[in-house]
Amino acid sequence: MTDTPAFRRYQGPAGGWGSVRSLARHGLRRRTRTLAALAQLRRQNKPDGFACVSCSWAKPAKPHPFEFCENGAKATFWDLDAGRVDAAFFRRHTVTALRTWADCDLEASGRITEPLRYDAASDRYVPVSWEEAFAAIGRELKAIEPAAAVFYASGRASLETSYMYALLARLYGCNNLPDSSNMCHESTSVGLPRSIGVPVGTVRLEDFEKTDCILSFGQNVGVNSPRMLHPLQEASRRGVPILTFNPLRERGWERFKNPQSPPQMLGGAATRISCEYLQPRAGGDPAVLLGLCKALLELDDAARRDGGARVVDTAFVEAHTQGFDDFVALLRALDWDAIARESGLAPEALRGVAEVYARAESAILIYGMGLTQHRHGVDNVRLLCNLALMRGSVGRPGAGVCPVRGHSNVQGQRTVGITEKPELVPLDRLAAQYGFEPPRDKGLDTVGTVRGVVDGTVRAFVGLGGNFLRAAPETERLEAAWPKLRLTVQVATKLNRSHLLNGEVAFLLPCLSRIERDRQAGGPQAVSVEDSTACIHRSVGVQAPASERLLSEPAIVAGIAEAALAPNPKVPWREWVADYARVRDAIAETYPVDFHDFNARLGAPGGFPRTNGARERIWHTPSGKAEFHAVDLLSATGFDDAPERLRLITVRSNDQFNTTVYGYSDRFRGIEGTRRVLLMHRDDIARLGLAEGEQVSLVGDADDGVHREVGGLRVTPYDLPAGCVVGYYPECNPLIPVAHHAIDSHVPAAKSVPVRIKREVDPRRVPAGPAP
Ligand SMILES: Nc1nc2c(c(=O)[nH]1)N[C@H]1C(S)=C(S)[C@@H](COP(=O)(O)OP(=O)(O)OC[C@H]3O[C@@H](n4cnc5c(=O)[nH]c(N)nc54)[C@H](O)[C@@H]3O)O[C@H]1N2
Ligand SMILES: Nc1nc2c(c(=O)[nH]1)N[C@H]1C(S)=C(S)[C@@H](COP(=O)(O)OP(=O)(O)OC[C@H]3O[C@@H](n4cnc5c(=O)[nH]c(N)nc54)[C@H](O)[C@@H]3O)O[C@H]1N2
Ligand SMILES: [Mo]
């Protein structure tokens, strides 16, 4: 792929013809089986089809004729790739040579089609039979202390696979079950239970039809959950004010043209999404949220003075919350100058938003990585809850807190036991169901795994999907330590960098994609996933598998389990693989409240919802009430400002899904042909004496004595707050210290990384890691 940069301002809306053109280009370039692709797209997110493998946004009960978006279609095309990564591919390329390839080129080589073992002597992957692979993995796992083995999961695997995988780890003897959620919405999973007693959002799709106001913080809807633009568009057309806080002007929150609406595509104007768009500093959200709460309080004071309607929902606050008085005292003591300085926004702007919010009966508060991936990510989530609680905007139609999750089943994986936190799992029930003593010690999360690999205490890594080495922080130390692992096993669909750094014994095991037909001894199989709004959907793949040698993920998990564990007649791995309905029966037995009659309810249009206390104003907190979080905090970064120090935000482009880089077009941001950019405010460029287009390095500025650097970045002026810079994830991950993570949730603080700029003496210097 080329790396010829071009920068042009994109004037179009999100969606629109740009999205149609982009898709057409992808379909052609990717050697996709085009007819197959079109047939598949029609089934995407339909009750009788497959759940999109891209984002986890809710799937409506009455889907559109084409219930997919540009990026969901790219993900489908990606799995339909006609290219093949097989033994012949590895005869052409050594693993060392492949390590110089870009992320995009690795995955673009095609689907992995046969089980492979790494052969160190020839530095190549060589074919292996499934039986041999399982036997060797079982042997190795048996020889390792359970506490030294890690079972990572990326958030794509189904509920059935995830349940089996978590059980495998616990039967083996550990809770080392980190998953991508540890790098993502774990701040939500820690913060929401403390504030409102549920680990997930409280909003369902129907609430968008009833809401009077939408606030959004740090989420990029046009790229990461484009189907959410449909309810947003409808809300905007109803006159619902949408107010957005994001350091960057993300096109999806500005305007949208629905590619599925012929009138709008043929000359109709794009729909304006946000009526107010404010650009706080990265990490400035505590100041924003407290400022909004303070402004509400001022409005409430004025209402009391003038005898107007109260702005604080006093009936709700009294009946349902705890800690309000302390919070009010904190708000009164806050100084507007400090709020303005830390948020980067004028008090008048915040007061203006508060006025709109105060007029709304029911409001939805949406957020994403812009809140969770900070040192104070958990505080961010809790302060957002405060804002909702002051207005009683939880547990009422059209109202609620709406974290937009990432991977298509990341939320569900937690629901069925993939977690390092034993207290979140019904261990006693598992003990009774399967007749064993489950491990009770806390397991390793992502941060713990990185540390354990670096210090040598982790000996084995099994990855159920994902690209751990690229997704995690502290890239260089992690990569340097990785080959010292005894065993690495990667279950994957496509080749990525995590497959190119191997333990002494290493296997690469290819699995079916969710879009593919899954036929087992008991006939064709369906799986299930949980969306962002906690609704459970059936997913049936119908595409012919990329190869006959692929196994399904449940079959791979069962294969490893049978080889690594002592036989246990109460765990019928074989029967489970033959008929996934039996896994669902097991899930229903372990989790009867949410999954009773699982098989009967599977396939309900719109999915079937899990229980959610906060939606009914039942608060599963220690006090039995929703809890205000009175924290005197204005910045989420966890570090002080310093003259040369900048706050690095790492973002996704419109042409990637996490570490899967589809191409080099970040259309909405006007960046084409390259990912090696550093977006900067013009004042910072001038202040630091840089020139537009100059190549610079970013150097970590964490004061921990470790040198971290990413070079070859092109200075690019951009509309963002001064003092903040933007680079792409995963290229910038070498700059994130493993210790720079959210307090309590351990989510790497990827949205405010302390960095400095170093001028490059030699502009040809090549950066660490694969180019570009
Ligand atoms: N097409 C596509 N879809 C995806 C993904 C993908 O990579 N591609 N990834 C999936 C996954 S796993 C996830 S978790 C989600 C991620 O989806 P998002 O939650 O949208 O995550 P990001 O794109 O990382 O960044 C979110 C936004 O936060 C803003 N931001 C950065 N710092 C701050 C801050 O300090 N304050 C505020 N208010 N805003 C800030 C950024 O400008 C950006 O617009 O999307 C999922 N869907
Ligand atoms: N700096 C920075 N770092 C970040 C983030 C950030 O915003 N900034 N975001 C974080 C977030 S939110 C997340 S969720 C993580 C993502 O971390 P991961 O989930 O580990 O990474 P992905 O890029 O989603 O994984 C892609 C790989 O998954 C495999 N795969 C795809 N489909 C399947 C399947 O159906 N089955 C199996 N077994 N494998 C499959 C393919 O081989 C593909 O190469 O990254 C985190 N890292
Ligand atoms: Mo994520």
Side-chain angles (χ1 to χ4, degrees):
M1 299 228 65
T2 57
D3 192 10
T4 333
F7 305 92
R8 47 182 99 91
R9 235 183 117 166
Y10 181 74
Q11 307 286 7
W17 288 108
S19 125
V20 175
R21 268 194 302 274
S22 161
L23 257 192
R25 212 172 39 234
H26 270 267
L28 296 176
R29 194 173 65 215
R30 293 268 71 93
R31 299 164 294 166
T32 310
R33 292 169 284 169
T34 313
L35 285 176
L38 290 177
Q40 291 312 320
L41 288 180
R42 263 194 21 243
R43 312 187 109 95
Q44 199 150 322
N45 297 323
K46 299 288 178 56
D48 64 338
F50 64 95
C52 180
V53 295
S54 191
C55 83
S56 59
W57 184 240
K59 290 121 187 93
K62 291 199 198 81
H64 300 82
F66 293 95
E67 187 61 38
F68 64 85
C69 68
E70 171 187 342
N71 288 340
K74 278 183 205 162
T76 302
F77 286 178
W78 202 244
D79 282 3
L80 286 167
D81 198 324
R84 293 292 175 257
V85 168
D86 49 14
F89 176 88
F90 288 106
R91 282 197 292 276
R92 293 195 296 277
H93 308 287
T94 63
V95 166
T96 304
L98 289 167
R99 246 181 259 144
T100 63
W101 288 27
D103 295 309
C104 177
D105 296 339
L106 289 174
E107 289 215 24
S109 301
R111 289 284 298 277
I112 308 169
T113 50
E114 55 187 317
L116 299 157
R117 174 179 66 81
Y118 179 62
D119 174 51
S122 63
D123 187 27
R124 289 167 208 278
Y125 274 107
V126 294
V128 64
S129 72
W130 282 105
E131 295 71 28
E132 276 176 81
F134 291 145
I137 294 165
R139 236 181 356 256
E140 292 294 333
L141 283 175
K142 280 180 176 161
I144 287 168
E145 263 304 297
V150 165
F151 296 85
Y152 173 68
S154 163
R156 212 173 262 200
S158 65
L159 291 170
E160 293 78 359
T161 308
S162 303
Y163 178 83
M164 291 169 68
Y165 192 62
L167 187 60
L168 155 66
R170 296 203 167 90
L171 286 164
Y172 173 69
C174 69
N175 285 305
N176 293 339
L177 285 157
D179 77 346
S180 63
S181 167
N182 289 144
M183 303 178 243
C184 182
H185 266 291
E186 191 61 19
S187 301
T188 296
S189 310
V190 171
L192 290 187
R194 292 180 186 173
S195 286
I196 57 171
V198 285
V200 300
T202 70
V203 169
R204 296 220 191 106
L205 214 39
E206 65 261 28
D207 290 310
F208 281 82
E209 291 161 24
K210 298 172 193 144
T211 192
D212 307 306
C213 179
I214 296 172
L215 298 182
S216 96
F217 298 85
Q219 200 271 339
N220 187 3
V221 62
V223 167
N224 296 325
S225 51
R227 288 182 301 105
M228 192 166 106
L229 280 167
H230 297 189
L232 289 174
Q233 181 180 42
E234 282 153 27
S236 163
R237 284 184 172 154
R238 276 199 297 121
V240 172
I242 301 176
L243 308 112
T244 294
F245 291 89
N246 194 314
L248 306 184
R249 295 194 71 86
E250 305 287 27
R251 187 51 45 91
W253 288 109
E254 294 187 312
R255 52 190 191 276
F256 172 55
K257 219 177 216 197
N258 182 354
Q260 313 209 5
S261 154
Q264 202 173 27
M265 291 296 277
L266 300 170
T271 309
R272 186 179 71 170
I273 300 295
S274 298
C275 60
E276 203 58 67
Y277 201 121
L278 298 171
Q279 293 173 270
R281 300 168 75 194
D285 301 276
V288 170
L289 291 161
L290 287 172
L292 292 173
C293 290
K294 186 176 172 72
L296 280 186
L297 197 63
E298 290 174 355
L299 291 171
D300 192 64
D301 290 342
R304 274 205 284 192
R305 228 174 19 241
D306 312 339
R310 291 290 298 268
V311 168
V312 172
D313 184 341
T314 48
F316 174 84
V317 167
E318 256 162 54
H320 289 286
T321 71
Q322 140 145 339
F324 185 59
D325 294 344
D326 288 346
F327 184 55
V328 167
L330 178 124
L331 291 178
R332 295 214 187 278
L334 275 182
D335 164 38
W336 273 114
D337 288 342
I339 292 174
R341 188 178 61 245
E342 292 300 332
S343 68
L345 300 174
E348 279 327 300
L350 292 174
R351 288 196 176 103
V353 172
E355 270 172 40
V356 177
Y357 177 59
R359 277 198 297 271
E361 184 73 24
S362 294
I364 291 177
L365 278 62
I366 294 170
Y367 70 92
M369 297 299 99
L371 289 198
T372 62
Q373 293 178 331
H374 289 284
R375 183 78 184 141
H376 291 282
V378 175
D379 291 310
N380 271 341
V381 169
R382 297 205 59 190
L383 291 173
L384 177 118
C385 289
N386 287 359
L387 183 61
L389 294 176
M390 278 180 87
R391 295 278 307 142
S393 229
V394 182
R396 175 162 86 197
V401 174
C402 183
V404 185
R405 298 272 171 165
H407 271 294
S408 49
N409 192 36
V410 64
Q411 192 167 308
Q413 295 198 328
R414 289 266 153 174
T415 306
V416 295
I418 292 194
T419 170
E420 75 286 357
K421 294 172 182 157
E423 67 275 18
L424 298 183
V425 185
L427 293 179
D428 294 336
R429 213 176 260 278
L430 287 178
Q433 201 171 336
Y434 299 111
F436 78 118
E437 190 37 58
R440 308 266 165 178
D441 291 342
K442 190 174 183 322
L444 295 174
D445 57 15
T446 289
V447 161
T449 300
V450 173
R451 290 205 168 110
V453 172
V454 169
D455 70 20
T457 51
V458 168
R459 301 297 300 134
F461 180 95
V462 181
L464 181 64
N467 187 359
F468 190 79
L469 281 163
R470 288 300 267 163
E474 205 75 270
T475 315
E476 281 177 28
R477 284 160 77 198
L478 187 60
E479 289 200 350
W482 201 262
K484 288 187 241 151
L485 288 168
R486 170 63 192 170
L487 172 71
T488 52
V489 179
Q490 302 281 359
V491 180
T493 49
K494 288 205 150 184
L495 190 64
N496 65 46
R497 189 165 171 89
S498 296
H499 311 148
L500 304 175
L501 286 140
N502 290 321
E504 290 163 23
V505 176
F507 291 92
L508 178 52
L509 306 179
C511 64
L512 291 173
S513 149
R514 198 152 69 218
I515 66 173
E516 288 168 334
R517 201 157 49 225
D518 184 352
R519 188 170 263 288
Q520 302 294 343
Q525 302 297 319
V527 295
S528 52
V529 297
E530 175 179 337
D531 71 27
S532 237
T533 64
C535 291
I536 313 286
H537 302 265
R538 177 173 61 195
S539 175
V540 187
V542 283
Q543 175 66 32
S547 152
E548 282 175 1
R549 301 205 58 203
L550 301 182
L551 288 188
S552 74
E553 288 180 318
I556 294 172
V557 173
I560 296 175
E562 285 183 317
L565 306 176
N568 175 344
K570 292 190 163 174
V571 194
W573 298 106
R574 283 280 155 90
E575 282 105 270
W576 280 354
V577 174
D579 181 3
Y580 302 169
R582 297 206 44 195
V583 187
R584 288 187 286 276
D585 287 337
I587 295 175
E589 192 179 334
T590 312
Y591 301 95
V593 175
D594 284 330
F595 289 101
H596 64 87
D597 305 305
F598 193 177
N599 281 303
R601 291 195 289 163
L602 191 65
F608 69 84
R610 282 173 53 208
T611 52
N612 187 308
R615 251 185 95 79
E616 274 127 55
R617 297 193 164 177
I618 300 165
W619 315 102
H620 299 292
T621 58
S623 65
K625 304 236 170 146
E627 300 199 11
F628 277 97
H629 181 49
V631 62
D632 190 2
L633 176 81
L634 291 177
S635 163
T637 63
F639 53 82
D640 295 330
D641 286 330
E644 298 272 293
R645 181 174 278 175
L646 297 161
R647 299 176 182 188
L648 169 69
I649 305 174
T650 59
V651 293
R652 298 159 159 78
S653 82
N654 185 48
D655 227 1
Q656 78 183 81
F657 187 91
N658 296 341
T659 70
T660 296
V661 176
Y662 301 125
Y664 297 87
S665 168
D666 197 2
R667 188 170 82 249
F668 302 137
R669 300 200 183 103
I671 301 163
E672 301 288 339
T674 184
R675 294 172 56 85
R676 298 224 74 96
V677 288
L678 183 67
L679 309 185
M680 294 184 72
H681 192 286
R682 282 195 187 278
D683 290 353
D684 285 331
I685 298 179
R687 182 173 61 88
L688 297 170
L690 303 171
E692 182 174 339
E694 181 177 346
Q695 301 250 333
V696 294
S697 293
L698 279 183
V699 180
D701 199 21
D703 301 331
D704 62 356
V706 179
H707 181 76
R708 300 183 182 82
E709 182 168 344
V710 168
L713 301 171
R714 185 192 160 99
V715 170
T716 306
Y718 204 76
D719 177 6
L720 45 64
C724 305
V725 293
V726 169
Y728 285 117
Y729 143 62
E731 286 82 349
C732 289
N733 285 37
L735 295 164
I736 309 177
V738 66
H740 187 54
H741 57 67
I743 298 165
D744 291 352
S745 73
H746 293 191
V747 172
K751 295 293 186 269
S752 49
V753 185
V755 292
R756 275 178 290 118
I757 289 182
K758 187 173 116 189
R759 304 194 73 150
E760 284 188 1
V761 194
D762 177 1
R764 288 160 309 173
R765 226 192 77 88
V766 226

